[in-house]
PDB file of all heavy atoms in Angstrom:
ATOM      1  N   ARG A   1     -13.118  41.454 -73.245  1.00  0.00           N
ATOM      2  CA  ARG A   1     -11.911  41.312 -74.073  1.00  0.00           C
ATOM      3  C   ARG A   1     -11.514  39.832 -74.176  1.00  0.00           C
ATOM      4  O   ARG A   1     -11.123  39.357 -75.246  1.00  0.00           O
ATOM      5  CB  ARG A   1     -10.756  42.105 -73.460  1.00  0.00           C
ATOM      6  CG  ARG A   1     -10.932  43.604 -73.460  1.00  0.00           C
ATOM      7  CD  ARG A   1     -10.597  44.225 -74.804  1.00  0.00           C
ATOM      8  NE  ARG A   1     -10.555  45.656 -74.688  1.00  0.00           N
ATOM      9  CZ  ARG A   1      -9.443  46.360 -74.499  1.00  0.00           C
ATOM     10  NH1 ARG A   1      -8.277  45.746 -74.411  1.00  0.00           N
ATOM     11  NH2 ARG A   1      -9.493  47.679 -74.398  1.00  0.00           N
ATOM     12  N   VAL A   2     -11.578  39.131 -73.047  1.00  0.00           N
ATOM     13  CA  VAL A   2     -11.230  37.703 -73.029  1.00  0.00           C
ATOM     14  C   VAL A   2     -12.138  36.932 -73.979  1.00  0.00           C
ATOM     15  O   VAL A   2     -11.680  36.126 -74.788  1.00  0.00           O
ATOM     16  CB  VAL A   2     -11.330  37.132 -71.605  1.00  0.00           C
ATOM     17  CG1 VAL A   2     -11.307  35.603 -71.616  1.00  0.00           C
ATOM     18  CG2 VAL A   2     -10.182  37.667 -70.751  1.00  0.00           C
ATOM     19  N   LYS A   3     -13.440  37.192 -73.894  1.00  0.00           N
ATOM     20  CA  LYS A   3     -14.398  36.509 -74.774  1.00  0.00           C
ATOM     21  C   LYS A   3     -14.107  36.800 -76.244  1.00  0.00           C
ATOM     22  O   LYS A   3     -14.201  35.917 -77.102  1.00  0.00           O
ATOM     23  CB  LYS A   3     -15.813  36.933 -74.430  1.00  0.00           C
ATOM     24  CG  LYS A   3     -16.338  36.378 -73.121  1.00  0.00           C
ATOM     25  CD  LYS A   3     -17.755  36.894 -72.869  1.00  0.00           C
ATOM     26  CE  LYS A   3     -18.291  36.417 -71.539  1.00  0.00           C
ATOM     27  NZ  LYS A   3     -19.642  36.949 -71.249  1.00  0.00           N
ATOM     28  N   ALA A   4     -13.750  38.053 -76.538  1.00  0.00           N
ATOM     29  CA  ALA A   4     -13.475  38.441 -77.925  1.00  0.00           C
ATOM     30  C   ALA A   4     -12.266  37.693 -78.477  1.00  0.00           C
ATOM     31  O   ALA A   4     -12.276  37.210 -79.616  1.00  0.00           O
ATOM     32  CB  ALA A   4     -13.255  39.948 -78.019  1.00  0.00           C
ATOM     33  N   ILE A   5     -11.198  37.593 -77.678  1.00  0.00           N
ATOM     34  CA  ILE A   5      -9.996  36.885 -78.116  1.00  0.00           C
ATOM     35  C   ILE A   5     -10.296  35.406 -78.341  1.00  0.00           C
ATOM     36  O   ILE A   5      -9.920  34.822 -79.360  1.00  0.00           O
ATOM     37  CB  ILE A   5      -8.850  37.058 -77.096  1.00  0.00           C
ATOM     38  CG1 ILE A   5      -8.400  38.520 -77.022  1.00  0.00           C
ATOM     39  CG2 ILE A   5      -7.665  36.156 -77.452  1.00  0.00           C
ATOM     40  CD1 ILE A   5      -7.430  38.808 -75.894  1.00  0.00           C
ATOM     41  N   LEU A   6     -10.996  34.797 -77.383  1.00  0.00           N
ATOM     42  CA  LEU A   6     -11.305  33.369 -77.499  1.00  0.00           C
ATOM     43  C   LEU A   6     -12.272  33.107 -78.648  1.00  0.00           C
ATOM     44  O   LEU A   6     -12.153  32.091 -79.346  1.00  0.00           O
ATOM     45  CB  LEU A   6     -11.894  32.861 -76.180  1.00  0.00           C
ATOM     46  CG  LEU A   6     -10.936  32.877 -74.983  1.00  0.00           C
ATOM     47  CD1 LEU A   6     -11.670  32.474 -73.710  1.00  0.00           C
ATOM     48  CD2 LEU A   6      -9.747  31.962 -75.220  1.00  0.00           C
ATOM     49  N   ARG A   7     -13.219  34.025 -78.870  1.00  0.00           N
ATOM     50  CA  ARG A   7     -14.160  33.867 -79.980  1.00  0.00           C
ATOM     51  C   ARG A   7     -13.431  33.947 -81.312  1.00  0.00           C
ATOM     52  O   ARG A   7     -13.729  33.208 -82.251  1.00  0.00           O
ATOM     53  CB  ARG A   7     -15.232  34.958 -79.897  1.00  0.00           C
ATOM     54  CG  ARG A   7     -16.318  34.809 -80.974  1.00  0.00           C
ATOM     55  CD  ARG A   7     -17.462  35.790 -80.740  1.00  0.00           C
ATOM     56  NE  ARG A   7     -17.014  37.159 -80.769  1.00  0.00           N
ATOM     57  CZ  ARG A   7     -17.019  37.985 -79.706  1.00  0.00           C
ATOM     58  NH1 ARG A   7     -17.431  37.552 -78.524  1.00  0.00           N
ATOM     59  NH2 ARG A   7     -16.595  39.235 -79.823  1.00  0.00           N
ATOM     60  N   ARG A   8     -12.443  34.843 -81.390  1.00  0.00           N
ATOM     61  CA  ARG A   8     -11.667  34.976 -82.632  1.00  0.00           C
ATOM     62  C   ARG A   8     -10.921  33.682 -82.947  1.00  0.00           C
ATOM     63  O   ARG A   8     -10.873  33.243 -84.100  1.00  0.00           O
ATOM     64  CB  ARG A   8     -10.690  36.143 -82.489  1.00  0.00           C
ATOM     65  CG  ARG A   8      -9.798  36.355 -83.687  1.00  0.00           C
ATOM     66  CD  ARG A   8      -9.311  37.779 -83.732  1.00  0.00           C
ATOM     67  NE  ARG A   8      -8.620  38.174 -82.522  1.00  0.00           N
ATOM     68  CZ  ARG A   8      -7.308  38.076 -82.352  1.00  0.00           C
ATOM     69  NH1 ARG A   8      -6.563  37.565 -83.310  1.00  0.00           N
ATOM     70  NH2 ARG A   8      -6.737  38.470 -81.250  1.00  0.00           N
ATOM     71  N   ILE A   9     -10.348  33.074 -81.910  1.00  0.00           N
ATOM     72  CA  ILE A   9      -9.627  31.810 -82.102  1.00  0.00           C
ATOM     73  C   ILE A   9     -10.592  30.716 -82.546  1.00  0.00           C
ATOM     74  O   ILE A   9     -10.311  29.946 -83.469  1.00  0.00           O
ATOM     75  CB  ILE A   9      -8.915  31.394 -80.802  1.00  0.00           C
ATOM     76  CG1 ILE A   9      -7.852  32.422 -80.433  1.00  0.00           C
ATOM     77  CG2 ILE A   9      -8.279  30.021 -80.953  1.00  0.00           C
ATOM     78  CD1 ILE A   9      -7.287  32.223 -79.051  1.00  0.00           C
ATOM     79  N   GLN A  10     -11.760  30.664 -81.895  1.00  0.00           N
ATOM     80  CA  GLN A  10     -12.758  29.656 -82.239  1.00  0.00           C
ATOM     81  C   GLN A  10     -13.263  29.834 -83.667  1.00  0.00           C
ATOM     82  O   GLN A  10     -13.418  28.864 -84.413  1.00  0.00           O
ATOM     83  CB  GLN A  10     -13.929  29.729 -81.258  1.00  0.00           C
ATOM     84  CG  GLN A  10     -14.955  28.617 -81.450  1.00  0.00           C
ATOM     85  CD  GLN A  10     -16.061  28.686 -80.416  1.00  0.00           C
ATOM     86  OE1 GLN A  10     -16.426  29.757 -79.930  1.00  0.00           O
ATOM     87  NE2 GLN A  10     -16.592  27.542 -80.050  1.00  0.00           N
ATOM     88  N   ASN A  11     -13.487  31.087 -84.055  1.00  0.00           N
ATOM     89  CA  ASN A  11     -13.941  31.365 -85.422  1.00  0.00           C
ATOM     90  C   ASN A  11     -12.893  30.947 -86.435  1.00  0.00           C
ATOM     91  O   ASN A  11     -13.226  30.409 -87.499  1.00  0.00           O
ATOM     92  CB  ASN A  11     -14.266  32.856 -85.584  1.00  0.00           C
ATOM     93  CG  ASN A  11     -15.527  33.248 -84.857  1.00  0.00           C
ATOM     94  OD1 ASN A  11     -16.323  32.393 -84.471  1.00  0.00           O
ATOM     95  ND2 ASN A  11     -15.719  34.531 -84.648  1.00  0.00           N
ATOM     96  N   MET A  12     -11.638  31.221 -86.105  1.00  0.00           N
ATOM     97  CA  MET A  12     -10.553  30.850 -87.004  1.00  0.00           C
ATOM     98  C   MET A  12     -10.505  29.337 -87.182  1.00  0.00           C
ATOM     99  O   MET A  12     -10.331  28.822 -88.289  1.00  0.00           O
ATOM    100  CB  MET A  12      -9.212  31.344 -86.442  1.00  0.00           C
ATOM    101  CG  MET A  12      -8.013  31.048 -87.335  1.00  0.00           C
ATOM    102  SD  MET A  12      -6.481  31.577 -86.554  1.00  0.00           S
ATOM    103  CE  MET A  12      -6.337  30.360 -85.251  1.00  0.00           C
ATOM    104  N   GLN A  13     -10.721  28.598 -86.090  1.00  0.00           N
ATOM    105  CA  GLN A  13     -10.702  27.140 -86.167  1.00  0.00           C
ATOM    106  C   GLN A  13     -11.908  26.623 -86.945  1.00  0.00           C
ATOM    107  O   GLN A  13     -11.806  25.635 -87.672  1.00  0.00           O
ATOM    108  CB  GLN A  13     -10.682  26.550 -84.748  1.00  0.00           C
ATOM    109  CG  GLN A  13      -9.380  26.815 -84.014  1.00  0.00           C
ATOM    110  CD  GLN A  13      -9.444  26.444 -82.544  1.00  0.00           C
ATOM    111  OE1 GLN A  13     -10.531  26.327 -81.966  1.00  0.00           O
ATOM    112  NE2 GLN A  13      -8.295  26.287 -81.926  1.00  0.00           N
ATOM    113  N   SER A  14     -13.055  27.292 -86.808  1.00  0.00           N
ATOM    114  CA  SER A  14     -14.243  26.890 -87.534  1.00  0.00           C
ATOM    115  C   SER A  14     -14.062  27.090 -89.035  1.00  0.00           C
ATOM    116  O   SER A  14     -14.458  26.250 -89.837  1.00  0.00           O
ATOM    117  CB  SER A  14     -15.457  27.687 -87.053  1.00  0.00           C
ATOM    118  OG  SER A  14     -15.710  27.420 -85.699  1.00  0.00           O
ATOM    119  N   VAL A  15     -13.468  28.223 -89.394  1.00  0.00           N
ATOM    120  CA  VAL A  15     -13.194  28.486 -90.807  1.00  0.00           C
ATOM    121  C   VAL A  15     -12.228  27.453 -91.347  1.00  0.00           C
ATOM    122  O   VAL A  15     -12.402  26.930 -92.443  1.00  0.00           O
ATOM    123  CB  VAL A  15     -12.618  29.902 -90.994  1.00  0.00           C
ATOM    124  CG1 VAL A  15     -12.124  30.081 -92.429  1.00  0.00           C
ATOM    125  CG2 VAL A  15     -13.668  30.948 -90.664  1.00  0.00           C
ATOM    126  N   ALA A  16     -11.212  27.121 -90.539  1.00  0.00           N
ATOM    127  CA  ALA A  16     -10.219  26.145 -90.986  1.00  0.00           C
ATOM    128  C   ALA A  16     -10.863  24.792 -91.261  1.00  0.00           C
ATOM    129  O   ALA A  16     -10.472  24.081 -92.183  1.00  0.00           O
ATOM    130  CB  ALA A  16      -9.123  26.006 -89.925  1.00  0.00           C
ATOM    131  N   ALA A  17     -11.868  24.439 -90.459  1.00  0.00           N
ATOM    132  CA  ALA A  17     -12.517  23.144 -90.629  1.00  0.00           C
ATOM    133  C   ALA A  17     -13.258  23.049 -91.954  1.00  0.00           C
ATOM    134  O   ALA A  17     -13.473  21.968 -92.494  1.00  0.00           O
ATOM    135  CB  ALA A  17     -13.492  22.900 -89.481  1.00  0.00           C
ATOM    136  N   ASP A  18     -13.652  24.211 -92.503  1.00  0.00           N
ATOM    137  CA  ASP A  18     -14.381  24.226 -93.771  1.00  0.00           C
ATOM    138  C   ASP A  18     -13.477  24.404 -94.982  1.00  0.00           C
ATOM    139  O   ASP A  18     -13.939  24.403 -96.113  1.00  0.00           O
ATOM    140  CB  ASP A  18     -15.418  25.356 -93.754  1.00  0.00           C
ATOM    141  CG  ASP A  18     -16.495  25.121 -92.700  1.00  0.00           C
ATOM    142  OD1 ASP A  18     -16.731  23.945 -92.384  1.00  0.00           O
ATOM    143  OD2 ASP A  18     -17.058  26.100 -92.205  1.00  0.00           O
ATOM    144  N   GLU A  19     -12.190  24.618 -94.753  1.00  0.00           N
ATOM    145  CA  GLU A  19     -11.273  24.879 -95.857  1.00  0.00           C
ATOM    146  C   GLU A  19     -10.381  23.668 -96.090  1.00  0.00           C
ATOM    147  O   GLU A  19      -9.852  23.070 -95.161  1.00  0.00           O
ATOM    148  CB  GLU A  19     -10.398  26.105 -95.542  1.00  0.00           C
ATOM    149  CG  GLU A  19     -11.192  27.395 -95.505  1.00  0.00           C
ATOM    150  CD  GLU A  19     -10.295  28.603 -95.234  1.00  0.00           C
ATOM    151  OE1 GLU A  19      -9.114  28.400 -94.905  1.00  0.00           O
ATOM    152  OE2 GLU A  19     -10.791  29.728 -95.350  1.00  0.00           O
ATOM    153  N   THR A  20     -10.231  23.294 -97.334  1.00  0.00           N
ATOM    154  CA  THR A  20      -9.385  22.150 -97.649  1.00  0.00           C
ATOM    155  C   THR A  20      -8.093  22.576 -98.328  1.00  0.00           C
ATOM    156  O   THR A  20      -7.134  21.820 -98.348  1.00  0.00           O
ATOM    157  CB  THR A  20     -10.135  21.163 -98.563  1.00  0.00           C
ATOM    158  OG1 THR A  20     -10.556  21.859 -99.753  1.00  0.00           O
ATOM    159  CG2 THR A  20     -11.367  20.602 -97.853  1.00  0.00           C
ATOM    160  N   ASN A  21      -8.058  23.781 -98.891  1.00  0.00           N
ATOM    161  CA  ASN A  21      -6.879  24.239 -99.613  1.00  0.00           C
ATOM    162  C   ASN A  21      -6.116  25.282 -98.816  1.00  0.00           C
ATOM    163  O   ASN A  21      -6.714  26.116 -98.138  1.00  0.00           O
ATOM    164  CB  ASN A  21      -7.286  24.839-100.961  1.00  0.00           C
ATOM    165  CG  ASN A  21      -7.924  23.797-101.869  1.00  0.00           C
ATOM    166  OD1 ASN A  21      -7.483  22.656-101.908  1.00  0.00           O
ATOM    167  ND2 ASN A  21      -8.970  24.202-102.562  1.00  0.00           N
ATOM    168  N   ASN A  22      -4.805  25.226 -98.932  1.00  0.00           N
ATOM    169  CA  ASN A  22      -3.971  26.256 -98.334  1.00  0.00           C
ATOM    170  C   ASN A  22      -4.078  27.542 -99.146  1.00  0.00           C
ATOM    171  O   ASN A  22      -4.385  27.529-100.339  1.00  0.00           O
ATOM    172  CB  ASN A  22      -2.515  25.806 -98.274  1.00  0.00           C
ATOM    173  CG  ASN A  22      -2.317  24.613 -97.362  1.00  0.00           C
ATOM    174  OD1 ASN A  22      -3.206  24.255 -96.599  1.00  0.00           O
ATOM    175  ND2 ASN A  22      -1.145  24.009 -97.443  1.00  0.00           N
ATOM    176  N   LEU A  23      -3.814  28.643 -98.488  1.00  0.00           N
ATOM    177  CA  LEU A  23      -3.770  29.928 -99.174  1.00  0.00           C
ATOM    178  C   LEU A  23      -2.322  30.187 -99.556  1.00  0.00           C
ATOM    179  O   LEU A  23      -1.435  30.216 -98.690  1.00  0.00           O
ATOM    180  CB  LEU A  23      -4.298  31.030 -98.245  1.00  0.00           C
ATOM    181  CG  LEU A  23      -4.435  32.433 -98.814  1.00  0.00           C
ATOM    182  CD1 LEU A  23      -5.371  32.430-100.025  1.00  0.00           C
ATOM    183  CD2 LEU A  23      -4.973  33.376 -97.744  1.00  0.00           C
ATOM    184  N   ILE A  24      -2.061  30.367-100.846  1.00  0.00           N
ATOM    185  CA  ILE A  24      -0.689  30.538-101.332  1.00  0.00           C
ATOM    186  C   ILE A  24      -0.583  31.856-102.084  1.00  0.00           C
ATOM    187  O   ILE A  24      -1.390  32.148-102.977  1.00  0.00           O
ATOM    188  CB  ILE A  24      -0.282  29.368-102.254  1.00  0.00           C
ATOM    189  CG1 ILE A  24      -0.350  28.047-101.482  1.00  0.00           C
ATOM    190  CG2 ILE A  24       1.119  29.593-102.816  1.00  0.00           C
ATOM    191  CD1 ILE A  24      -0.114  26.827-102.340  1.00  0.00           C
ATOM    192  N   ILE A  25       0.421  32.648-101.722  1.00  0.00           N
ATOM    193  CA  ILE A  25       0.708  33.888-102.442  1.00  0.00           C
ATOM    194  C   ILE A  25       2.217  33.990-102.598  1.00  0.00           C
ATOM    195  O   ILE A  25       2.950  34.129-101.610  1.00  0.00           O
ATOM    196  CB  ILE A  25       0.121  35.125-101.710  1.00  0.00           C
ATOM    197  CG1 ILE A  25       0.578  36.405-102.406  1.00  0.00           C
ATOM    198  CG2 ILE A  25       0.431  35.126-100.228  1.00  0.00           C
ATOM    199  CD1 ILE A  25      -0.134  37.656-101.912  1.00  0.00           C
ATOM    200  N   GLY A  26       2.676  33.889-103.828  1.00  0.00           N
ATOM    201  CA  GLY A  26       4.117  33.858-104.074  1.00  0.00           C
ATOM    202  C   GLY A  26       4.746  32.691-103.328  1.00  0.00           C
ATOM    203  O   GLY A  26       4.232  31.563-103.378  1.00  0.00           O
ATOM    204  N   PRO A  27       5.837  32.931-102.604  1.00  0.00           N
ATOM    205  CA  PRO A  27       6.494  31.860-101.858  1.00  0.00           C
ATOM    206  C   PRO A  27       5.871  31.604-100.487  1.00  0.00           C
ATOM    207  O   PRO A  27       6.340  30.764 -99.730  1.00  0.00           O
ATOM    208  CB  PRO A  27       7.922  32.382-101.691  1.00  0.00           C
ATOM    209  CG  PRO A  27       7.758  33.865-101.638  1.00  0.00           C
ATOM    210  CD  PRO A  27       6.593  34.191-102.559  1.00  0.00           C
ATOM    211  N   ILE A  28       4.796  32.340-100.150  1.00  0.00           N
ATOM    212  CA  ILE A  28       4.164  32.232 -98.838  1.00  0.00           C
ATOM    213  C   ILE A  28       2.986  31.271 -98.908  1.00  0.00           C
ATOM    214  O   ILE A  28       2.089  31.435 -99.718  1.00  0.00           O
ATOM    215  CB  ILE A  28       3.686  33.604 -98.341  1.00  0.00           C
ATOM    216  CG1 ILE A  28       4.835  34.616 -98.314  1.00  0.00           C
ATOM    217  CG2 ILE A  28       3.048  33.483 -96.957  1.00  0.00           C
ATOM    218  CD1 ILE A  28       4.391  36.048 -98.078  1.00  0.00           C
ATOM    219  N   GLU A  29       2.992  30.257 -98.032  1.00  0.00           N
ATOM    220  CA  GLU A  29       1.895  29.298 -97.953  1.00  0.00           C
ATOM    221  C   GLU A  29       1.291  29.352 -96.554  1.00  0.00           C
ATOM    222  O   GLU A  29       1.988  29.186 -95.551  1.00  0.00           O
ATOM    223  CB  GLU A  29       2.396  27.881 -98.257  1.00  0.00           C
ATOM    224  CG  GLU A  29       1.294  26.843 -98.252  1.00  0.00           C
ATOM    225  CD  GLU A  29       1.781  25.473 -98.698  1.00  0.00           C
ATOM    226  OE1 GLU A  29       2.944  25.388 -99.148  1.00  0.00           O
ATOM    227  OE2 GLU A  29       1.007  24.500 -98.596  1.00  0.00           O
ATOM    228  N   ILE A  30      -0.020  29.587 -96.496  1.00  0.00           N
ATOM    229  CA  ILE A  30      -0.715  29.761 -95.216  1.00  0.00           C
ATOM    230  C   ILE A  30      -1.680  28.599 -95.021  1.00  0.00           C
ATOM    231  O   ILE A  30      -2.607  28.414 -95.806  1.00  0.00           O
ATOM    232  CB  ILE A  30      -1.489  31.089 -95.183  1.00  0.00           C
ATOM    233  CG1 ILE A  30      -0.546  32.262 -95.498  1.00  0.00           C
ATOM    234  CG2 ILE A  30      -2.156  31.285 -93.830  1.00  0.00           C
ATOM    235  CD1 ILE A  30      -1.284  33.566 -95.767  1.00  0.00           C
ATOM    236  N   ASN A  31      -1.458  27.827 -93.973  1.00  0.00           N
ATOM    237  CA  ASN A  31      -2.305  26.685 -93.657  1.00  0.00           C
ATOM    238  C   ASN A  31      -3.159  27.020 -92.443  1.00  0.00           C
ATOM    239  O   ASN A  31      -2.667  27.047 -91.325  1.00  0.00           O
ATOM    240  CB  ASN A  31      -1.439  25.447 -93.379  1.00  0.00           C
ATOM    241  CG  ASN A  31      -2.262  24.187 -93.187  1.00  0.00           C
ATOM    242  OD1 ASN A  31      -3.248  24.184 -92.462  1.00  0.00           O
ATOM    243  ND2 ASN A  31      -1.843  23.107 -93.826  1.00  0.00           N
ATOM    244  N   ARG A  32      -4.458  27.315 -92.669  1.00  0.00           N
ATOM    245  CA  ARG A  32      -5.336  27.689 -91.568  1.00  0.00           C
ATOM    246  C   ARG A  32      -5.568  26.530 -90.599  1.00  0.00           C
ATOM    247  O   ARG A  32      -5.659  26.725 -89.396  1.00  0.00           O
ATOM    248  CB  ARG A  32      -6.696  28.164 -92.112  1.00  0.00           C
ATOM    249  CG  ARG A  32      -6.716  29.531 -92.737  1.00  0.00           C
ATOM    250  CD  ARG A  32      -6.472  30.646 -91.755  1.00  0.00           C
ATOM    251  NE  ARG A  32      -7.476  30.807 -90.737  1.00  0.00           N
ATOM    252  CZ  ARG A  32      -8.377  31.791 -90.710  1.00  0.00           C
ATOM    253  NH1 ARG A  32      -8.438  32.668 -91.686  1.00  0.00           N
ATOM    254  NH2 ARG A  32      -9.219  31.901 -89.707  1.00  0.00           N
ATOM    255  N   ASP A  33      -5.660  25.334 -91.142  1.00  0.00           N
ATOM    256  CA  ASP A  33      -5.976  24.171 -90.321  1.00  0.00           C
ATOM    257  C   ASP A  33      -4.898  23.930 -89.266  1.00  0.00           C
ATOM    258  O   ASP A  33      -5.193  23.667 -88.098  1.00  0.00           O
ATOM    259  CB  ASP A  33      -6.146  22.952 -91.216  1.00  0.00           C
ATOM    260  CG  ASP A  33      -6.716  21.764 -90.470  1.00  0.00           C
ATOM    261  OD1 ASP A  33      -7.391  21.990 -89.458  1.00  0.00           O
ATOM    262  OD2 ASP A  33      -6.499  20.628 -90.903  1.00  0.00           O
ATOM    263  N   GLN A  34      -3.650  24.023 -89.682  1.00  0.00           N
ATOM    264  CA  GLN A  34      -2.539  23.757 -88.760  1.00  0.00           C
ATOM    265  C   GLN A  34      -1.940  25.036 -88.171  1.00  0.00           C
ATOM    266  O   GLN A  34      -1.021  24.965 -87.366  1.00  0.00           O
ATOM    267  CB  GLN A  34      -1.445  22.978 -89.502  1.00  0.00           C
ATOM    268  CG  GLN A  34      -1.910  21.606 -89.976  1.00  0.00           C
ATOM    269  CD  GLN A  34      -0.807  20.841 -90.689  1.00  0.00           C
ATOM    270  OE1 GLN A  34       0.374  21.111 -90.505  1.00  0.00           O
ATOM    271  NE2 GLN A  34      -1.196  19.867 -91.494  1.00  0.00           N
ATOM    272  N   HIS A  35      -2.460  26.171 -88.587  1.00  0.00           N
ATOM    273  CA  HIS A  35      -1.953  27.475 -88.119  1.00  0.00           C
ATOM    274  C   HIS A  35      -0.448  27.586 -88.394  1.00  0.00           C
ATOM    275  O   HIS A  35       0.355  27.936 -87.520  1.00  0.00           O
ATOM    276  CB  HIS A  35      -2.235  27.672 -86.629  1.00  0.00           C
ATOM    277  CG  HIS A  35      -2.243  29.114 -86.217  1.00  0.00           C
ATOM    278  ND1 HIS A  35      -1.110  29.812 -85.901  1.00  0.00           N
ATOM    279  CD2 HIS A  35      -3.260  29.993 -86.089  1.00  0.00           C
ATOM    280  CE1 HIS A  35      -1.423  31.056 -85.588  1.00  0.00           C
ATOM    281  NE2 HIS A  35      -2.724  31.186 -85.684  1.00  0.00           N
TER     282      HIS A  35
END
């Protein structure tokens, strides 16, 4: 379980490193890089 949680965080950070644009839907803005 510990490995799965940490892997999920690492994957999220890896995805963020490849993304330059924020995800925007209506008034909601999601910044993966800065969480």
Side-chain angles (χ1 to χ4, degrees):
R1 294 280 190 96
V2 166
K3 288 179 183 178
I5 294 171
L6 294 175
R7 184 172 60 246
R8 178 156 56 92
I9 297 169
Q10 186 177 31
N11 288 344
M12 182 183 71
Q13 292 170 341
S14 297
V15 171
D18 295 333
E19 292 182 351
T20 57
N21 296 320
N22 295 348
L23 185 59
I24 299 174
I25 174 170
I28 304 169
E29 183 174 352
I30 305 168
N31 186 313
R32 285 293 295 254
D33 190 25
Q34 297 181 21
H35 202 276

